[in-house]
Amino acid sequence: MRIVVLTGAGISAESGLGTFRDEGGLWAQHRLEDVATPEAFARNPALVHQFYNARRQQAAEAQPNAAHKALARLETALGDSLLLVTQNVDDLHEQAGSQNVLHMHGRLSGALCHACGHRWTAPLEMRPDDTCPSCRETATRPDVVWFGEYPHGLDFIEEALSSADLFASIGTSGQVYPAAGFVMQAGRYGADTVQLNLEPSDTSNAFNETRLGKASEIVPLWVDEILKH
Ligand code: OAD
């Protein structure tokens, strides 16, 4: 059985990382136009670094929860038949043991030089006057995908969706495209579709099945069911 799993901020909520759109979420505390666009970075790189430095610090202190661990278990059983795509910029899937994770919105642990394209491991704190270790330009940025930029791996994901038997979406509000459209793509290609979320997402109607609850409780049960078949 070929499975594509998409995860969002909800899977890391019980690890202590705030989601974006729940009450008191990150986008209630910050205007995304001020911290998560290329224009914001051009205008005020110090503010954007401050936002991502705080998130990198929080992520460094977080531990994976039972939902991340269950998906690592699924990978051990299914190998290449599982594609795990995450919108999350934390590394909790990897910390739980997943080895093959497609971070379509990039990673907090990465730094990118927008002058030469070089990538390296981000220090805990990035600053506007940091220089690229390859070309020495002060053009370094977090290796995350901002609004208005192109997510990673879309062709690869489309290909996986086209041959998937099952598409599962976990802990995402379904408000940000193209990820929110994966359920429609998978459905058109004939895959069964299930969402596991605290509450119905914006794309609930597109799923064959909805399971509501905390990720740490419902994801391990769902993985157990898959592995029994
Ligand atoms: P959101 O904050 O939009 O949605 C989080 C979802 O997780 C909501 O539907 C919650 O109901 C659900 N949730 C909360 N706690 C949960 C729990 N314990 N168990 C299960 N579900 C839970 O986050 P995303 O959908 O990931 O992009 O946001 C998508 C993208 O928008 C992010 O990758 C980010 C953001 O702006 C960029 O920054 C480019």
Side-chain angles (χ1 to χ4, degrees), residues 8-10 14 20-21 27 87 105 147 172-173 176 197-199 215:
E14 291 165 79
F20 296 95
R21 297 176 181 80
W27 296 153
Q87 300 167 89
H105 290 167
F147 286 92
T172 176
S173 61
V176 176
N197 214 42
L198 198 56
E199 57 195 27

Side-chain angles (χ1 to χ4, degrees), residues 112-118 120 132 135-141:
L112 167 67
C113 174
H114 60 88
C116 74
H118 181 64
W120 67 102
C132 167
C135 73
R136 314 310 302 175
E137 289 286 328
T138 51
T140 73
R141 54 167 283 180

